[in-house]
Amino acid sequence: MLALTNSPSKAGIVGLAKWLPLAVFSLPAGVLADRLNRKHLMIACDLVRLLGAASIVVALAFGRPSFAQLVAVAFIDGGLFATAHIAERGALRQVVAREQLQDAVARNEGRSYAAALIGPSLGGLLFAITRTLPFVADAASFLCSTTAVAATRSDFQVHSEQPPRPWREMRSEMLEGLRWMRDQPFYRMTSVLFAFGNPLFTGLFLLTLLLAHRGHASSSEIGVMFTIMAAGGLVGALLAGRLRRAISARGLIIAGPWLAVGVLLALLVVHNPLLMGVVVACAEFMAPATNAVVAGSRIALAPDALQGRIQAVATTSSMSLVWLGPLAVGFGFERLGASATTLAAAGWALCLAAAATAAPSIRHHVPVDADPDTDAVGAQAR
């Protein structure tokens, strides 16, 4: 959109259309992931996303895509991404053994960080050759994904003997996932911590960019800086198994915000963009292991019939405030200056770290090998 119109506001609207569905569609997507065949749902999502990417290729071949088309494709793509992600998390317990769930989540985290490391550079290279190539590659990637999902031999859910509930009960079904999370103190508290922690990290990325820009860093230096930041998460994902075996669940959850405090204070004195990338990479390092422990044990504990809805609640809550970080950092940087904004972000991280350290509920982590069908765990879940 930016290349076609040179309009930052229109590009921003397309970006909003891409990420808004993550909050809007997650709860209904959770119901679909529990009601429908998860494998078929994931394949359908990929095929429609393929058609969306292909529609841009066709539009570019015959002229240029309209603003409305790009907004529509971005919105549909974002909604189907959320649906496929929730179905994938719900299917994970049927694909890998219970004791491998946390490592499986960590591997998926590594996949995401690798994509963040490679994707922007590859997309920029393809776009420089011709504008259609990134969308051709995007369509091809969905075809590969569809083939891989279809070729997976495992069933993606436990087949129920119960007749399906009427669609008019969809709203009450959404509430069942909320009730499950409400009745689990550990997962309820981690959802709150993630909800307030995610805007800290989205704001941190913008803050680092603004600090580098203020220091007159070149575009190539900024690109390398963000590559280093993504590499921190990738290394953390590769070492997540060792970290979660060496550190308790509570230790991992507490370490993240305390590390963020140190990173933000370091940004007050580090001005070289490459060193800034290394510093922020340290904050990214712990996230995959933390996500592996929390999401992996939640998948192991939750009943299969509720997997989609519980993941939907977790996704909605964790992403509910992500917009706040960049907004606060952008406003603060412009009105208060770089140092005051950095100190304010460090104060936010300090409050989060103190809350995590003091929270009694995260001391009672349910082990990954707990059986969701036993009386004790089942009573807790109810």
Side-chain angles (χ1 to χ4, degrees):
M1 193 73 259
L2 191 62
L4 291 174
T5 67
N6 200 32
S7 170
S9 61
K10 287 187 175 181
I13 292 172
V14 173
L16 176 64
K18 170 74 174 179
W19 294 112
L20 183 62
L22 202 60
V24 175
F25 287 147
S26 288
L27 290 178
V31 176
L32 293 177
D34 289 337
R35 273 181 166 267
L36 306 178
N37 184 298
R38 290 173 188 152
K39 182 182 290 188
H40 295 168
L41 181 61
M42 291 174 67
I43 291 173
C45 288
D46 278 350
L47 289 176
V48 176
R49 295 174 77 189
L50 185 156
L51 292 175
S55 75
I56 298 177
V57 175
V58 172
L60 285 168
F62 289 94
R64 52 186 286 173
S66 67
F67 174 57
Q69 179 186 354
L70 289 180
V71 169
V73 170
F75 187 79
I76 293 170
D77 187 84
L80 294 178
F81 162 76
T83 304
H85 172 70
I86 288 167
E88 176 194 298
R89 279 287 175 90
L92 199 58
R93 200 172 77 186
Q94 307 306 317
V95 178
V96 302
R98 182 182 297 274
E99 63 273 12
Q100 296 176 324
L101 281 171
Q102 292 181 347
D103 286 337
V105 172
R107 296 283 179 88
N108 284 344
E109 291 278 317
R111 176 192 65 186
S112 298
Y113 279 106
L117 195 64
I118 299 169
S121 298
L122 179 60
L125 175 63
L126 295 175
F127 194 81
I129 298 171
T130 177
R131 290 177 178 178
T132 59
L133 268 186
F135 303 103
V136 172
D138 203 22
S141 75
F142 290 127
L143 186 60
C144 294
S145 175
T146 298
T147 303
V149 171
T152 305
R153 289 174 296 187
S154 303
D155 286 331
F156 282 11
Q157 61 219 106
V158 176
H159 296 286
S160 174
E161 299 295 332
Q162 300 292 329
R165 294 161 65 176
W167 283 102
R168 64 176 178 272
E169 296 184 14
M170 191 170 180
R171 182 180 176 184
S172 63
E173 289 184 67
M174 293 183 200
L175 295 177
E176 290 174 5
L178 288 166
R179 292 190 196 102
W180 191 93
M181 290 287 282
R182 180 198 63 192
D183 294 338
Q184 300 286 340
F186 176 82
Y187 301 109
R188 185 177 67 238
M189 186 61 196
T190 52
S191 291
V192 172
L193 292 173
F194 289 172
F196 285 94
N198 280 336
L200 178 66
F201 282 92
T202 55
L204 177 60
F205 298 145
L206 178 59
L207 176 62
T208 309
L209 174 63
L210 293 173
L211 289 171
H213 187 266
R214 188 192 65 161
H216 306 290
S218 67
S219 298
S220 59
E221 287 177 322
I222 291 175
V224 173
M225 179 184 74
F226 276 98
T227 299
I228 294 171
M229 289 159 57
L234 179 58
V235 173
L238 295 174
L239 297 177
R242 295 182 182 180
L243 287 172
R244 69 175 184 80
R245 282 183 278 272
I247 305 173
S248 68
R250 179 173 181 265
L252 287 171
I253 293 167
I254 291 173
W258 281 114
L259 195 56
V261 173
V263 164
L264 285 159
L265 293 177
L267 288 178
L268 290 171
V269 296
V270 175
H271 304 296
N272 180 281
L274 302 186
L275 289 179
M276 289 166 62
V278 173
V279 168
V280 178
C282 294
E284 286 288 303
F285 178 75
M286 297 298 296
T290 304
N291 290 338
V293 167
V294 175
S297 61
R298 186 181 64 236
I299 292 168
L301 178 63
D304 183 76
L306 286 175
Q307 285 284 346
R309 281 166 285 175
I310 291 168
Q311 176 60 39
V313 172
T315 300
T316 302
S317 61
S318 65
M319 300 299 291
S320 59
L321 297 175
V322 290
W323 54 271
L324 180 60
L327 181 67
V329 166
F331 180 83
F333 204 93
E334 183 176 334
R335 298 297 179 89
L336 305 176
S339 297
T341 303
T342 305
L343 284 172
W348 180 289
L350 182 62
C351 292
L352 196 65
T357 303
S361 55
I362 65 171
R363 299 189 179 114
H364 307 294
H365 174 241
V366 179
V368 73
D369 57 355
D371 187 351
D373 297 321
T374 61
D375 291 341
V377 176
Q380 187 182 15
R382 287 192 293 273

